[in-house]
Amino acid sequence: MSASQGSSAAPSGADLTVGTAWAEAPCPVLVVDRHGGLVRINEAARLLLPGAIGGDGPAGRVPHWLADAQRRIGAGLPGADPGPPTGIIGDRLFAAHPTPGADGDVVWWLVDETGRHHAENALSDALSRAEILADVSSALLSSLNVPRCMEVAATMAAEHIAEAAVLVGPPQGRRHPLTYACRGGPVTQATRRVDVSIVPGLPEALQGFPPVPARWINPAEIPDWVIPDDFAGPVGSVIVTPLPGHGLPAGALILLRSSTEQAFTENEELFARLFAARAGAALSAAGLYSEQAAITATLMQDLLPPLLSGVHGVEYAGGYRASRDQERIGGDFYDVHPGADASRSTLVTLGDVAGKGLEAAVLTGKIRNTLHALLPLADDHLQVLSLLNGALLTSHHTRFVTLVLASVRRHRGQVELRLTSAGHPPPLIVRNDGTVEEVPTRGTLVGALPTVTARTVEAVLAPGETCLLYTDGITEARGGPLGDDLFGEHRLRRALADCAGMPAEAVVERVRMLTAQWLGTGGHDDIAAVAISAPKPGSLAAVDEHADGGKTGRHR
């Protein structure tokens, strides 16, 4: 298109008349000559730049950014940006696309870029906020610790949304856990008795109601306990939003900006609610996990094997290893039930429930509780086994258990034993000369047949001798050089022979150590063992028997 129409001097307003095609162009068009004079202007440009009709050069009538671009083209200089020059006219953003003419004139086509610019900014903001929310979710879900989640949530809120953030947790009695964070500063946590009713919108947020708009909250009404100690300047804008959880609110989030910062916009309030939704979900998950972990730990206390030591002048030691290294409980168990005094027998039970894992552990807990209830009948092993057998047959469980019972009493420096096996490996006695004897007690499984048969055998331990009760997880442990050999009873006997004269704890520890070495990294069944030793004269257990009636140690 040739921009030259006669003289290069700026024409008068009457000379600016143009043809029909030019007048109906969809965008403003200006023709400027090489001297900066305005040659032509269409109707769209006349409406956009009414001052350009006066006939002066465009430098005085058009925006400075367009005049600067014209001068650069006239001087043959490259543009400041690789694209067309852009600038503001009124409240709109325009891009000026130049078309050089044959006589040095330039046609400037002004294209409105306002919508595209707003769309690009909106897309950039959306992408940035999506990235922030992804980072928030990743950071919050990386920890299932409630205080840590509160700390991360407050820190990220202060960094990405506000100058300071205060996370208010659900009430604990009359107190609330509070987490304070300022941008670039440390995080502080405290549990205080505060009046949440004086903070506009906070009581409703803690109950999960939608937040009130920030413009409805008067910053002057914010109490001192909400403002972090290192917050700079008076509060200028506030957002109070709930932290929605799973069924119940996880707390509330208070966001603060000082009076020197820009007030929260509606888009920022919406983003704060999205942020709070992510934080609330993470806090709720962490709280649920903590609650379940506490319940599990409480219930597990009755499933874990007890700590053993001396009872009425007799040494006891126990060792347990679950079939999976990441688990603490399983299907093997043992207990020591002390007699009322040194004249009464102590009942030792060791058993193996069919199966592994949590289901087997739950049944062991029921069996242990049943045996505890049958303690008044402990002198009659067969009756105890028969009553337990009936209880298992009438339960919904289809598992059975093998058991060995031992009634233990110290008498005149020796330890008297009555041992009964019900489908369980027979106990082994280690004599002082290194001889290992098998106690010839036999019996049927408990919980599998209508009746239980068992034989009770008596034995005596001289000072320094030990009786070992164990589960088949030891003898059936597979390992060795080829990884598929059983540890076997013969290796167990050989290991016990080397333990002659050792205290109960040392015997159990040696058996556990040798079994672990044999297994290596291979799989295995649950492993349990209990050692019963007659202490040597002068040992702590023997002295304690006379010092305090033998009531030593900790027991379940």
Side-chain angles (χ1 to χ4, degrees):
M1 174 185 295
S2 176
S4 179
Q5 297 289 331
S7 172
S8 63
S12 64
D15 295 332
L16 290 177
T17 58
V18 296
T20 303
W22 181 272
E24 295 177 355
C27 62
V29 182
L30 298 91
V31 182
V32 183
D33 64 19
R34 69 182 65 185
H35 304 293
L38 187 59
V39 178
R40 287 189 177 184
I41 183 172
N42 72 346
E43 184 64 25
R46 184 178 292 107
L47 295 175
L48 180 66
L49 300 169
I53 331 175
D56 295 334
R61 299 298 183 179
V62 299
H64 67 87
W65 59 271
L66 184 57
D68 290 342
Q70 171 67 28
R71 282 194 296 268
R72 296 185 68 85
I73 290 181
L77 299 175
D81 298 317
T86 59
I88 300 295
I89 300 178
D91 59 351
R92 311 292 292 177
L93 176 70
F94 285 87
H97 298 268
T99 301
D103 300 326
D105 297 342
V106 178
V107 181
W108 291 99
W109 305 79
L110 303 183
V111 179
D112 192 337
E113 298 283 338
T114 306
R116 183 180 65 83
H117 180 69
H118 288 169
E120 288 178 349
N121 287 342
L123 178 61
S124 177
D125 290 344
L127 292 175
S128 176
R129 290 174 178 177
E131 184 177 353
I132 292 173
L133 291 177
D135 292 342
V136 167
S137 297
S138 177
L140 289 173
L141 295 176
S142 64
S143 174
L144 290 175
N145 179 275
V146 174
R148 175 57 181 163
C149 277
M150 297 177 71
E151 178 182 340
V152 172
T155 300
M156 300 193 78
E159 178 181 353
H160 297 294
I161 308 177
E163 287 184 83
V166 182
L167 198 153
V168 184
Q172 299 175 355
R174 296 184 178 181
R175 304 166 72 87
H176 288 267
L178 305 173
T179 302
Y180 297 89
C182 282
R183 186 183 301 167
V187 178
T188 59
Q189 292 183 307
T191 301
R192 300 175 182 171
R193 185 173 180 177
V194 295
D195 186 1
V196 298
S197 64
I198 61 177
V199 181
L202 182 56
E204 294 80 6
L206 288 172
Q207 297 181 47
F209 291 104
V212 298
R215 64 181 182 274
W216 292 4
I217 301 178
N218 183 1
E221 297 180 6
I222 300 300
D224 291 340
W225 68 262
V226 173
I227 305 174
D229 293 337
D230 48 355
F231 181 73
V235 179
S237 187
V238 184
I239 289 178
V240 179
T241 183
L243 296 171
H246 301 296
L248 295 174
L253 182 64
I254 304 175
L255 303 175
L256 306 174
R257 281 183 179 174
S258 66
S259 57
T260 60
E261 289 283 327
Q262 180 183 0
F264 291 109
T265 65
E266 291 185 6
N267 286 337
E268 288 174 327
E269 289 188 61
L270 177 60
F271 179 62
R273 295 180 65 176
L274 294 175
F275 178 96
R278 302 289 181 97
L283 284 168
S284 182
L288 182 61
Y289 174 82
S290 298
E291 181 181 357
Q292 291 177 341
I295 293 173
T296 300
T298 301
L299 295 176
M300 191 176 289
Q301 291 303 314
D302 284 339
L303 300 178
L304 292 172
L307 299 175
L308 306 181
S309 57
V311 178
H312 300 323
V314 180
E315 292 181 356
Y316 298 92
Y320 176 78
R321 181 180 179 182
S323 59
R324 297 179 182 177
D325 292 338
Q326 70 271 20
E327 294 180 348
R328 301 175 61 193
I329 56 177
D332 288 4
F333 65 94
Y334 58 80
D335 277 307
V336 173
H337 304 281
D341 52 54
S343 65
R344 303 293 299 273
S345 296
T346 293
L347 179 66
V348 181
T349 62
L350 182 139
D352 182 0
V353 171
K356 305 175 183 178
L358 180 60
E359 186 176 353
V362 171
L363 183 55
T364 66
K366 294 182 178 180
I367 292 173
R368 293 168 70 183
N369 289 336
T370 302
L371 290 172
H372 190 272
L374 296 175
L375 283 179
L377 308 175
D379 290 340
D380 189 341
H381 290 183
L382 183 58
Q383 186 179 10
V384 170
L385 295 173
S386 297
L387 292 173
L388 177 61
N389 186 66
L392 292 179
L393 289 175
T394 57
S395 71
H396 68 279
H397 294 282
T398 58
R399 298 175 183 268
F400 57 85
V401 62
T402 66
L403 276 171
V404 60
L405 305 180
S407 293
V408 185
R409 185 171 70 95
R410 184 179 174 89
H411 183 64
R412 295 182 179 178
Q414 295 183 324
V415 174
E416 298 175 348
L417 303 174
R418 287 190 303 109
L419 301 159
T420 304
S421 173
H424 201 83
L428 299 176
I429 294 178
V430 185
R431 300 300 183 184
N432 284 322
D433 60 0
T435 302
V436 178
E437 300 177 0
E438 179 182 292
V439 179
T441 174
R442 297 289 187 275
T444 57
L445 302 171
V446 179
L449 301 173
T451 59
V452 173
T453 60
R455 177 190 176 194
T456 300
V457 177
E458 295 183 356
V460 176
L461 301 179
E465 296 180 340
T466 298
C467 176
L468 181 72
L469 316 180
Y470 63 95
T471 61
D472 58 10
I474 294 176
T475 54
E476 295 180 2
R478 290 189 178 273
L482 300 179
D484 198 38
D485 292 334
L486 296 178
F487 187 73
E489 187 177 336
H490 63 289
R491 289 189 178 86
L492 177 59
R493 285 172 174 265
R494 190 187 311 159
L496 291 175
D498 295 335
C499 296
M502 290 185 180
E505 186 175 357
V507 174
V508 171
E509 187 59 33
R510 178 163 177 79
V511 171
R512 290 180 59 187
M513 180 188 68
L514 293 176
T515 306
Q517 291 175 347
W518 183 259
L519 285 168
T521 58
H524 58 88
D525 198 357
D526 297 327
I527 295 173
V530 173
I532 307 168
S533 295
K536 296 180 180 180
S539 67
L540 181 60
V543 171
D544 286 346
E545 177 192 19
H546 301 287
D548 60 2
K551 296 181 181 180
T552 62
R554 290 187 292 172
H555 314 284
R556 179 178 180 275

